[in-house]
Amino acid sequence: MSSSIKHVAIIMDGNGRWAKMRQRPRVWGHVKGSNNVTEIVKESAKMGLESLTLYAFSTENWSRPQDEVTNLFKLLKKFLIKERKNLIKNNIRFNVIGNYKVLDSKIVQEIETSKKLTANNTGLSLSLAINYGGRAEIIDAVNDFLKDNRAQREVTEEDINKYLYNPELKNIDLLIRTAGDQRVSNFLLWQISYAEMYFTDTKWPDFTTQEFREIIASTEARERRFGGIENTNTLEKNKYLADQNLKILS
Ligand code: FPP
């Protein structure tokens, strides 16, 4: 896809409210939400997106009622098993960011199996953020750097990029959050530095592939207004704009 939007991240919010509006238990919203993950992943692969990163479970989500946490992990396990054949069929490479090794060993096993079976796929790179926190990721990166370098020199931006959970994800082009709140909620704090933000009122179970495509198209249009240079990434554009400003000042 020759688009300026290559990496998209989504905060999938609103499952609980979606269910409540229908007088159903919250878990019903998560089931619908989980089915929608399948649709959006399929669509992302179809439109040739390079990377999609989805916030499935944050480090803060542990504070939810125990039975909701249990249900979320049950759903996650089901999803991992059910989705595997689609990942293989659609050439999708699967990854997880976050401290997932501390989870139930059966879930860890399912994650490792999906990662292994899709490691050589060359299409969409799909990452689920599970037991993920943006600050924790940066702290882990710095500590891993210190361990490897024994504090012989100061840490650089490149070092942090290298030690993130998935170094390939360092630049997110577009962050979408569903269900009306306009917050980042500790998601990909490092990687969204230059991201476009899009907040929609649609609750995650109602978020359609059509709305997804429309958001990407409208963000591309928004991006193209920057200096009239198309198909370049945000960092290149910022450098271009800075150069223009320097020319004006000199
Ligand atoms: C937000 O809804 C949802 C989450 C806790 C994370 C996303 C989870 C899913 C889409 C379902 C399971 C995921 C996978 C990958 C199988 P909320 O409960 O915060 O909604 P509310 O704000 O309306 O209460």
Side-chain angles (χ1 to χ4, degrees):
M1 168 160 107
S2 68
S3 162
S4 55
I5 308 296
K6 293 176 174 21
H7 295 189
V8 178
I10 309 183
I11 301 176
M12 310 178 289
D13 198 11
N15 295 343
R17 278 165 283 168
W18 185 90
K20 197 173 171 210
M21 279 165 63
R22 288 159 179 78
Q23 281 89 45
R24 305 294 291 261
R26 290 176 61 81
V27 64
W28 178 247
H30 294 316
V31 171
K32 291 289 176 190
S34 159
N35 293 342
N36 206 27
V37 173
T38 300
E39 294 308 311
I40 296 298
V41 168
K42 205 167 35 171
E43 191 68 9
S44 301
K46 206 161 119 191
M47 63 173 123
L49 205 64
E50 273 183 25
S51 294
L52 177 71
T53 304
L54 302 172
Y55 212 173
F57 193 88
S58 72
T59 44
E60 291 75 26
N61 287 152
W62 291 109
S63 62
R64 294 191 174 208
Q66 182 59 45
D67 67 325
E68 184 169 349
V69 171
T70 307
N71 282 329
L72 275 168
F73 281 111
K74 267 191 197 158
L75 264 178
L76 184 67
K77 193 164 138 227
K78 257 195 192 162
F79 173 85
L80 288 165
I81 297 167
K82 191 189 78 183
E83 195 62 20
R84 200 169 286 141
K85 63 176 189 309
N86 293 332
L87 298 178
I88 294 166
K89 192 172 91 190
N90 296 315
N91 194 23
I92 298 170
R93 194 154 37 107
F94 177 77
N95 208 344
V96 168
I97 56 169
N99 187 10
Y100 70 91
K101 301 249 163 100
V102 301
L103 301 175
D104 181 283
S105 65
K106 286 195 185 113
I107 292 186
V108 177
Q109 213 178 313
E110 297 301 345
I111 290 173
E112 299 296 1
T113 306
S114 289
K115 279 176 68 170
K116 213 184 289 165
L117 286 173
T118 64
N120 295 321
N121 286 352
T122 54
L124 175 74
S125 164
L126 169 68
S127 301
L128 287 189
I130 305 174
N131 197 16
Y132 175 88
R135 287 185 177 179
E137 179 175 29
I138 297 169
I139 293 167
D140 286 350
V142 173
N143 281 326
D144 287 348
F145 165 82
L146 290 175
K147 253 183 250 153
D148 285 358
N149 291 279
R150 297 257 166 245
Q152 301 273 324
R153 62 178 177 83
E154 289 186 349
V155 66
T156 65
E157 192 169 317
E158 285 67 37
D159 293 324
I160 307 240
N161 282 334
K162 198 174 118 193
Y163 283 92
L164 293 172
Y165 294 142
N166 179 1
E168 282 175 36
L169 289 179
K170 53 184 178 285
N171 286 325
I172 301 293
D173 298 310
L174 168 63
L175 173 70
I176 300 172
R177 181 176 186 139
T178 61
D181 287 333
Q182 304 199 352
R183 281 194 295 273
V184 171
S185 297
N186 204 16
F187 193 35
L188 301 169
L189 295 181
W190 182 269
Q191 300 88 335
I192 58 165
S193 301
Y194 297 99
E196 298 285 329
M197 307 276 190
Y198 196 101
F199 301 99
T200 170
D201 287 337
T202 309
K203 296 182 181 53
W204 176 251
D206 282 337
F207 186 74
T208 60
T209 54
Q210 193 191 334
E211 183 172 4
F212 188 38
R213 278 185 181 270
E214 281 167 9
I215 291 172
I216 292 178
S218 74
T219 309
E220 280 170 339
R222 212 199 290 177
E223 285 242 302
R224 274 199 284 269
R225 287 204 293 274
F226 275 95
I229 39 173
E230 290 181 31
N231 297 331
T232 49
N233 68 32
T234 316
L235 280 174
E236 284 165 4
K237 263 175 219 157
N238 285 345
K239 191 175 171 308
Y240 170 86
L241 291 173
D243 288 346
Q244 296 304 307
N245 287 339
L246 281 177
K247 271 187 209 149
I248 292 164
L249 290 173
S250 64

